[in-house]
């Protein structure tokens, strides 16, 4: 394709390091779509004949079906997807194929193809995240009043509801979707027509190719257009933050499923057994979601490093943008599906959650608040008094709600029987009615609002 002035072919090692076809063959659909748009525009502008334009379009359709049916023979000697497609086009339609590359370079071609590919990946991830949110919100609605211990420092802190905990992840996923949507907006400009780096002398209609490919507008600067990979980096940044969120939840699932906690059970569908210990039920899917975060972060870091020293415009280094990005986005898609599956599969042990929520003096804050509200005690003093009552309960080996009134009065004589109203985990969560608080009524309202926003579709 470019060998006109070359006397001999490349060394085998040169071919080996140079070829990207094993990776960029996955851009075939985008490459063909972009070529069809380019050819249609060239024909409309009178840069190539209508007849050649039609031959090219027809040939490209044939190639698409050859690739999709597995009949296409990819050749490493042809380096990449662009040259594989063009060479096959020449086989199919003859000399007219040579007109397709008018006013185009592989530099604007690959930038266009990969933008289209990343855009599709973003759309698929967004659909996945919406399904994940729906699974979370449905489970949250079912467990709006299921009491569980809330933790800080992994120490029992205050009772919360399981539904409230799940809705926290719905919020995270909403921000994740916002970041992908944001990246998509900036991504959606058309590099085609920037040619190698300087634009071209042909009178192109870049607005037409933009419209044909679903781009909002043509890119404004040809040098920037062929050397920019921000759209991949931003998407990987959004993917990294999403993966970090999924990993946190995966970690919680692992902890909750441990017999030490016993708060949750996953079925056989999302656990594996041990080859030596027959009693085991390992949360492998959650562990792997946690682990795959590593390669997703690595893809972001890797591409930042590839790009950081590159002068304008295109450099071959940029060919290294695809492999780990594609792999990372595929890993993320799989992680989202696995988390969605686990959310739909998980069975909280409601009795164990209730028991754990009542243990560890989780309602101590409720007692302190009662002292403030009823006895008009300054909070700092109430905190101290409560501490002494907790110590008394600990010494007696009972929960706060089981400590006799006399024992409380020994610490603070003005305490009345009324105090028991606030000491159960159910009362505790029911009282947390502030906007965004864990009260079951809030959780029900928020879960329903999310389900309405997300639509009923599964
Ligand atoms: N395979 C190349 C890539 O992925 C296509 C662009 C090649 N451009 C060039 N001037 N060699 O980046």
């Amino acid at each position: 394709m470019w060998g006109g002035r070359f006397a001999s072919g490349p060394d085998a090692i040169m071919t080996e390091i140079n070829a990207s076809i094993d990776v960029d063959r996955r851009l075939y659909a985008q490459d063909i779509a972009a070529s069809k748009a380019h050819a249609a525009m060239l024909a409309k502008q009178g840069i190539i004949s209508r007849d050649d334009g039609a031959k090219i379009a027809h040939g490209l359709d044939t190639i698409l079906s050859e690739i999709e049916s597995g009949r296409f023979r990819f050749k490493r000697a042809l380096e990449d997807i662009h040259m594989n497609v063009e060479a096959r086009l020449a086989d199919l339609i003859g000399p007219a194929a040579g007109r397709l590359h008018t006013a185009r370079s592989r530099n604007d071609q690959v930038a266009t193809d990969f933008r289209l590919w990343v855009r599709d990946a973003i759309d698929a991830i967004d659909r996945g995240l919406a399904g994940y949110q729906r699974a979370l919100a449905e489970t949250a609605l079912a467990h709006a009043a299921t009491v569980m211990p809330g933790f800080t420092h992994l120490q029992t802190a205050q009772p919360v509801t399981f539904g409230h905990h799940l809705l926290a992840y719905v919020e995270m996923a909403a921000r994740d979707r916002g970041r992908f949507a944001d990246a998509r907006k900036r991504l959606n400009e058309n590099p085609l027509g920037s040619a190698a780096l300087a634009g071209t002398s042909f009178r192109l209609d870049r607005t037409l190719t933009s419209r044909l490919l679903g781009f909002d507008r043509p890119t404004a600067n040809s040098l920037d257009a062929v050397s920019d990979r921000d759209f991949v980096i931003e998407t990987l940044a959004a993917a990294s933050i999403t993966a970090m969120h999924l990993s946190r939840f995966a970690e919680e699932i692992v902890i909750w499923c441990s017999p030490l906690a016993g708060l949750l059970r996953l079925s056989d569908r999302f656990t594996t057994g041990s080859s030596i210990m027959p009693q085991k039920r390992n949360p492998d899917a959650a562990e792997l979601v946690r682990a795959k975060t590593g390669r997703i972060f690595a893809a972001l870091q890797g591409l930042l490093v590839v790009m950081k020293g590159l002068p304008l415009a295109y450099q071959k280094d940029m060919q290294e943008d695809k492999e780990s990005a594609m792999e990372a986005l595929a890993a993320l898609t799989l992680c989202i599906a696995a988390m969605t599956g686990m959310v739909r599969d998980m069975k909280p042990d409601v009795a164990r959650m209730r028991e754990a929520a009542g243990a560890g003096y989780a309602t101590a804050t409720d007692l302190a608040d009662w002292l403030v509200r009823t006895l008009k005690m300054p909070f700092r003093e109430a905190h101290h008094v409560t501490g002494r009552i907790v110590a008394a309960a600990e010494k007696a080996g009972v929960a706060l709600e089981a400590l006799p009134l006399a024992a409380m009065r020994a610490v603070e004589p003005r305490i009345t029987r009324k105090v028991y109203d606030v000491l159960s985990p159910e009362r505790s969560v029911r009282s947390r009615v502030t906007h965004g608080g864990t009260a079951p009524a809030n959780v029900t309202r928020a879960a329903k609002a999310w389900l309405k926003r997300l639509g009923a579709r599964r």
Side-chain angles (χ1 to χ4, degrees):
M1 292 281 172
W2 40 254
R5 93 184 156 71
F6 283 64
S8 73
D11 190 275
I13 295 295
M14 179 61 202
T15 303
E16 184 68 21
I17 194 169
N18 198 36
S20 56
I21 187 62
D22 294 339
V23 173
D24 60 29
R25 55 189 285 173
R26 293 175 60 189
L27 299 177
Y28 75 88
Q30 291 77 13
D31 193 71
I32 288 170
S35 285
K36 282 183 76 175
H38 184 64
M41 182 273 293
L42 291 178
K44 179 174 162 268
Q45 296 298 97
I47 299 168
I48 63 173
S49 71
R50 297 235 159 235
D51 188 42
D52 285 345
K55 276 194 196 130
I56 290 170
H58 185 254
L60 289 169
D61 285 339
T62 305
I63 294 172
L64 183 65
S65 70
E66 286 179 352
I67 295 176
E68 291 191 330
S69 62
R71 280 178 292 134
F72 191 91
R73 277 197 45 235
F74 290 98
K75 299 193 184 114
R76 304 201 78 208
L78 290 170
E79 277 187 47
D80 56 25
I81 184 65
H82 323 298
M83 302 221 281
N84 269 271
V85 169
E86 207 184 314
R88 179 65 186 139
L89 189 65
D91 294 345
L92 288 170
I93 68 168
R99 300 195 185 276
L100 171 60
H101 212 53
T102 313
R104 189 176 77 168
S105 153
R106 277 188 290 158
N107 298 351
D108 60 341
Q109 201 180 352
V110 75
T112 305
D113 293 1
F114 202 26
R115 277 186 194 238
L116 292 171
W117 190 93
V118 172
R119 192 175 73 186
D120 287 346
I122 288 176
D123 292 345
I125 288 169
D126 185 68
R127 280 192 299 278
L129 284 173
Y132 170 59
Q133 286 182 303
R134 214 171 290 121
L136 285 165
E138 282 172 15
T139 314
L141 188 58
H143 289 285
T146 300
V147 172
M148 69 175 278
F151 302 94
T152 59
H153 315 267
L154 211 48
Q155 302 287 315
T156 304
Q158 294 174 359
V160 295
T161 66
F162 185 48
H164 195 55
H165 197 110
L166 296 178
L167 288 183
Y169 286 101
V170 176
E171 296 294 331
M172 288 179 237
R175 294 195 295 276
D176 294 332
R177 291 179 69 190
R179 271 179 283 270
F180 279 111
D182 207 33
R184 192 192 195 284
K185 246 180 262 163
R186 266 186 298 279
L187 164 155
N188 207 30
E189 293 186 347
N190 179 19
L192 207 56
S194 303
L197 74 167
T200 161
S201 56
F202 293 95
R203 295 281 172 267
L204 303 187
D205 182 350
R206 298 189 61 208
T207 304
L208 173 58
T209 48
S210 300
R211 190 159 48 72
L212 292 173
L213 295 170
F215 286 118
D216 295 329
R217 64 192 77 83
T219 51
N221 180 299
S222 60
L223 287 167
D224 178 41
V226 293
S227 64
D228 166 48
R229 291 297 181 272
D230 291 4
F231 63 96
V232 197
I233 294 172
E234 275 195 78
T235 303
L236 289 174
S240 293
I241 297 173
T242 306
M244 175 272 290
H245 289 150
L246 297 181
S247 180
R248 294 182 70 177
F249 192 18
E251 167 73 357
E252 294 198 312
I253 292 174
V254 171
I255 293 172
W256 293 348
C257 285
S258 163
L260 282 175
L263 299 178
L264 200 69
R265 197 179 156 91
L266 289 173
S267 80
D268 299 348
R269 297 177 60 222
F270 282 95
T271 49
T272 63
S274 156
S275 55
I276 175 167
M277 299 161 285
Q279 84 285 8
K280 291 291 283 297
R281 178 181 282 279
N282 299 328
D284 294 32
E287 294 171 275
L288 288 165
V289 167
R290 199 170 56 182
K292 285 194 190 289
T293 307
R295 59 172 86 199
I296 295 167
F297 292 0
L300 170 62
Q301 182 68 10
L303 188 52
L304 285 168
V305 172
V306 166
M307 295 303 294
K308 80 163 193 55
L310 299 187
L312 301 184
Y314 179 85
Q315 320 291 331
K316 195 63 173 246
D317 309 51
M318 291 161 66
Q319 177 166 286
E320 287 292 308
D321 61 352
K322 291 171 213 69
E323 188 169 4
S324 40
M326 287 175 161
E327 203 223 12
L329 297 179
L332 181 67
T333 306
L334 181 58
C335 287
I336 295 168
M339 291 304 290
T340 307
M342 279 187 277
V343 170
R344 294 213 175 278
D345 184 70
M346 59 176 55
K347 289 266 168 306
D349 185 332
V350 171
R352 171 73 195 123
M353 279 185 171
R354 165 65 178 78
E355 182 196 357
Y361 306 100
T363 55
T365 315
D366 297 86
L367 172 55
D369 288 352
W370 186 89
L371 295 171
V372 168
R373 213 175 299 119
T374 315
L375 304 181
K376 307 289 175 239
M377 212 180 256
F379 182 78
R380 286 294 165 214
E381 191 187 333
H383 184 280
H384 184 75
V385 168
T386 303
R388 291 178 58 205
I389 294 172
V390 166
E394 234 167 3
K395 207 162 152 221
V398 295
L400 265 185
E401 48 185 322
L403 188 68
L405 187 60
M408 293 200 203
R409 282 191 168 152
V411 178
E412 169 50 64
R414 290 176 295 163
I415 294 179
T416 67
R417 190 156 292 289
K418 277 263 176 222
V419 77
Y420 291 100
D421 285 355
V422 302
L423 294 184
S424 78
E426 286 78 13
R427 297 270 189 175
S428 172
V429 295
R430 228 180 296 151
S431 73
R432 300 287 194 270
V433 290
T434 37
H435 183 89
T438 197
N442 281 4
V443 174
T444 301
R445 204 178 317 116
K448 282 185 176 162
W450 269 117
L451 289 171
K452 197 167 159 197
R453 249 168 93 176
L454 292 164
R457 185 173 48 91
R458 282 227 167 171

